[in-house]
């Protein structure tokens, strides 16, 4: 069982970053998720490169999350997509012609730009994978000129939208593999979008399917963590993909903190391939206490053996004087 920690903090202070990564590694984690928003890399490439080197020194793999690219994915900073702002012709349009705040993924110019960005990141920096965080599912049927041209049958537009989203993600993950065949690909869904798993599992270039088990944020009982967790792991396992379950260790007040252990136990009972959480993330009443509790919970996860025994065991003489193997 692997451990991933999301690190959504600035990389500008090397000593602080080094301390943070050492703490994350000491918790048993072997990888981090770092989010990149549009235009950020152009403004501070030295800081980004230095941060990645520090992660390597701490023996942490880095998976890059594409934060709010095209306003199609989640990201830690609530900033609008620069691409969408500069290309209003790419906006999703509903049946009444009203534009919505996201780019339609069927626009070839957007795909070309996005795939070029992904290729640049993977060939320029020592990254180990790309993660898509909470893709915006097609809750709005797009009637833009591109979608109408690709699907003239208006009655089929809603189903077409869903099919084309899976096709878009398939192309995106294939782009990742072309740029770096060793790079891992992941997608993390919200519980209400778990009905997408069956379709996403058919994408050959997708390695891991995860879920944000954010019971408190979604106003659910903590028992739903176990229910969602088993739903994800069971569905993903049938298709030979890896599963990843995310613990909500943020936005917790004093009454929520005692439920963190229950949420973790429910998550662990599903036996995912990967457990993920956050490093000092937003809006906890007691940030230090929540992180220390998270570290304690992560230490419950069985560690892999570092050295496997390949030679026959040396016979040991027991108290009775006979040999036991």
């Amino acid at each position: 069982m692997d451990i991933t920690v999301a690190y959504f903090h600035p990389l500008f202070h090397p000593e602080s970053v080094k301390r943070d990564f050492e703490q994350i590694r000491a918790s048993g984690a072997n990888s981090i998720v770092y989010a990149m928003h549009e235009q950020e890399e152009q403004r501070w490439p030295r800081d980004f490169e230095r941060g990645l080197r520090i992660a390597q020194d701490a023996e942490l793999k880095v998976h890059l999350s594409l934060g709010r690219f095209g306003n199609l994915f989640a990201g830690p900073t609530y900033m609008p997509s620069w691409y969408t702002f500069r290309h209003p012709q790419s906006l999703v349009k509903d049946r009444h012609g009203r534009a919505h705040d996201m780019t339609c993924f069927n626009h070839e110019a957007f795909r070309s730009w996005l795939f070029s960005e992904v290729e640049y990141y993977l060939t320029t920096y020592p990254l180990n994978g790309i993660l898509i965080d909470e893709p915006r599912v097609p809750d709005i049927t797009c009637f833009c000129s591109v979608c109408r041209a690709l699907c003239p049958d208006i009655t089929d537009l809603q189903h077409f939208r869903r099919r084309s989203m899976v096709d878009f993600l398939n192309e995106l993950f294939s782009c990742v593999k072309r740029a770096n065949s060793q790079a891992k690909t992941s997608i993390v869904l919200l519980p209400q979008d778990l009905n997408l798993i069956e379709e996403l599992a058919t994408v050959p270039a997708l390695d891991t399917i995860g879920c944000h088990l954010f019971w408190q944020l979604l106003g659910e009982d903590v028992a739903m963590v176990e229910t969602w967790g088993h739903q994800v792991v069971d569905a993903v396992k049938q298709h030979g993909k890896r599963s990843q379950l995310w613990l909500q260790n943020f936005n917790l007040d004093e009454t929520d903190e005692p439920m963190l252990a229950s949420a973790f136990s429910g998550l662990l009972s599903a036996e995912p391939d990967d457990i993920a959480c956050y490093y000092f993330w937003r809006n906890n009443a007691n940030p230090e206490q929540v992180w220390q509790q998270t570290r304690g919970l992560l230490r419950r996860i069985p560690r892999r053996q570092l050295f496997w025994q390949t030679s026959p065991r040396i016979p040991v003489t027991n108290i009775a004087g006979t040999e036991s193997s």
Side-chain angles (χ1 to χ4, degrees), residues 188-249:
V188 185
L189 305 172
L190 286 167
Q192 57 264 36
D193 299 324
L194 294 183
N195 59 352
L196 287 171
I197 289 180
E198 292 297 324
E199 290 163 278
L200 291 172
T202 65
V203 176
L206 175 58
D207 299 312
T208 301
I209 299 177
C211 182
H212 285 150
L213 308 182
F214 298 162
W215 61 279
Q216 183 266 358
L217 204 64
L218 297 172
E220 297 284 355
D221 188 271
V222 70
M224 286 303 298
V225 169
E226 184 172 353
T227 301
W228 291 328
H230 281 283
Q231 186 178 347
V232 173
V233 173
D234 293 345
V236 170
K237 187 181 298 184
Q238 293 178 15
H239 296 275
K241 306 287 188 183
R242 291 181 61 82
S243 57
Q244 183 183 70
L245 299 181
W246 284 73
L247 176 72
Q248 184 187 340
N249 60 335

Side-chain angles (χ1 to χ4, degrees), residues 316-324:
V316 178
T317 304
N318 59 26
I319 296 175
T322 58
E323 289 185 351
S324 61

Side-chain angles (χ1 to χ4, degrees), residues 67-232:
R68 303 189 182 277
F69 279 54
N71 286 334
L72 291 173
F73 319 126
T77 303
Y78 292 99
M79 63 171 66
S81 164
W82 185 242
Y83 181 94
T84 303
F85 174 76
R86 295 187 63 194
H87 300 86
Q89 72 277 10
S90 72
L91 289 170
V92 166
K93 293 184 178 179
D94 62 25
R95 64 176 64 248
H96 304 293
R98 294 174 299 201
H100 293 259
D101 66 339
M102 57 180 168
T103 287
C104 176
F105 44 65
N106 283 322
H107 280 245
E108 282 300 326
F110 170 70
R111 291 195 188 207
S112 178
W113 168 79
L114 178 63
F115 298 164
S116 177
E117 290 289 291
V118 169
E119 182 179 3
Y120 171 78
Y121 290 134
L122 289 171
T123 56
T124 305
Y125 298 103
L127 296 167
N128 302 98
I130 296 291
L131 180 142
I132 298 301
D133 194 357
E134 296 179 10
R136 294 182 68 171
V137 297
D139 51 346
I140 301 171
T141 301
C142 185
F143 284 75
C144 76
S145 59
V146 174
C147 287
R148 289 292 303 274
L150 292 171
C151 182
D153 183 2
I154 295 179
T155 61
D156 188 44
L157 265 178
Q158 184 176 1
H159 300 292
F160 164 77
R161 182 73 178 167
R162 188 179 176 106
R163 294 194 305 269
S164 57
M165 183 189 74
V166 175
D167 174 71
F168 162 68
L169 292 171
N170 181 31
E171 284 195 32
L172 174 57
F173 293 133
S174 296
C175 168
V176 172
K177 296 295 186 180
R178 287 195 300 272
N180 180 354
S181 61
Q182 301 302 312
K184 301 301 180 183
T185 54
S186 308
I187 191 166
V188 185
L189 305 172
L190 286 167
Q192 57 264 36
D193 299 324
L194 294 183
N195 59 352
L196 287 171
I197 289 180
E198 292 297 324
E199 290 163 278
L200 291 172
T202 65
V203 176
L206 175 58
D207 299 312
T208 301
I209 299 177
C211 182
H212 285 150
L213 308 182
F214 298 162
W215 61 279
Q216 183 266 358
L217 204 64
L218 297 172
E220 297 284 355
D221 188 271
V222 70
M224 286 303 298
V225 169
E226 184 172 353
T227 301
W228 291 328
H230 281 283
Q231 186 178 347
V232 173

